[in-house]
Amino acid sequence: MKQIITISRELGSGGRTIGKLVANKNNIPYYDRELIDESAKISGVPAEYVEKSDQKITSSFLYNLAMGTSYGYGMLEDANQPLPLTTQIFCAQQKIIKNYADSGSCVIVGRCADYILRDRRDVLRVFIYADMEKRIEHSVKEYGMPKATAREEIARSDRERARHYNMFTEQKWGERTNYDIMLDSGSLGYENCARIICSIAGMDL
């Protein structure tokens, strides 16, 4: 059975690690950085800008939103008014994510994939979270984040991810009704989270 797993996560919760475990156990594609690189090619901007655009909303985007322009999933481009670059990148990512899903079973991390694929019945939408101390520990170990500033960096990331998700999807980031399952990786551990996801999806454990 074809199954697409989308993983949304808090910074430092190990969502990427869990996603890789699920993909490796089932020998299916894992998409994360690939989305940035492909979006950069389609939109014609550096990959570094695409990566930043996932968590930072430009002033032009906020202005257009305030003026009543919708940038949701079904938006249409006005031929006389080009879309802001941030929105063009989001549109490119929508196309790429849908192509990934059409190609077969896979794991997709972040980039509002849960929302973009929300109408498909073969998608399991997962949200990974953990308590702050666990997130700090993971961020220091995996990302080399200074422990003295880790808490502040994580809180900033939460705000930016929520702002990006909320504005592009018209839903609330981390709201339980947006996901099929929410897992506390700090309590369960990464391996157990991966096993639970595989079990629910009917995949190999």
Side-chain angles (χ1 to χ4, degrees):
M1 179 182 68
K2 183 171 69 172
Q3 186 70 64
I4 296 97
I5 311 295
T6 67
I7 296 184
S8 305
R9 76 284 182 223
E10 295 178 334
L11 178 65
S13 66
R16 285 177 171 170
T17 301
I18 293 166
K20 288 178 181 178
L21 286 171
V22 172
N24 291 339
K25 287 175 183 291
N26 291 273
N27 194 30
I28 60 176
Y30 167 87
Y31 299 116
D32 182 7
R33 178 71 196 189
E34 294 82 358
L35 272 163
I36 295 175
D37 295 335
E38 290 193 41
S39 298
K41 290 178 183 178
I42 292 176
S43 57
V45 299
E48 292 78 10
Y49 182 91
V50 174
E51 188 168 16
K52 289 180 180 179
S53 77
D54 283 345
Q55 295 189 16
K56 291 187 181 298
I57 304 300
T58 64
S59 58
S60 62
F61 177 83
L62 292 171
Y63 172 78
N64 282 286
L65 188 70
M67 294 300 291
T69 306
S70 174
Y71 292 99
Y73 181 72
M75 63 190 171
L76 296 174
E77 181 175 357
D78 184 337
N80 298 316
Q81 183 64 45
L83 292 172
L85 186 55
T86 310
T87 308
Q88 293 180 40
I89 292 171
F90 181 74
C91 289
Q93 291 183 345
Q94 285 187 119
K95 180 178 179 180
I96 294 166
I97 287 170
K98 289 193 287 184
N99 286 340
Y100 286 158
D102 288 339
S103 297
S105 298
C106 61
V107 175
I108 305 174
V109 175
R111 280 88 198 182
C112 305
D114 61 288
Y115 178 81
I116 292 169
L117 302 176
R118 68 194 185 284
D119 294 327
R120 295 181 63 117
R121 300 187 66 181
D122 56 353
V123 176
L124 179 65
R125 301 168 300 165
V126 180
F127 189 89
I128 305 294
Y129 66 97
D131 65 61
M132 182 57 76
E133 294 309 314
K134 291 288 185 180
R135 295 170 67 189
I136 291 174
E137 180 182 340
H138 180 88
S139 297
V140 170
K141 180 180 179 180
E142 296 297 322
Y143 309 136
M145 191 178 291
K147 189 171 184 179
T149 60
R151 186 181 299 272
E152 180 182 347
E153 289 296 318
I154 290 171
R156 182 183 299 113
S157 173
D158 284 350
R159 292 193 298 271
E160 291 173 350
R161 286 184 180 182
R163 187 180 300 117
H164 179 269
Y165 184 91
N166 296 353
M167 288 187 177
F168 277 114
T169 69
E170 299 177 355
Q171 293 182 168
K172 184 178 179 181
W173 182 72
E175 176 65 43
R176 62 184 177 82
T177 55
N178 298 335
Y179 313 98
D180 299 304
I181 182 171
M182 304 181 77
L183 297 172
D184 181 350
S185 61
S187 297
L188 296 169
Y190 300 158
E191 285 283 351
N192 282 335
C193 285
R195 291 193 187 97
I196 292 169
I197 293 169
C198 289
S199 177
I200 294 174
M203 295 179 167
D204 293 336
L205 300 177

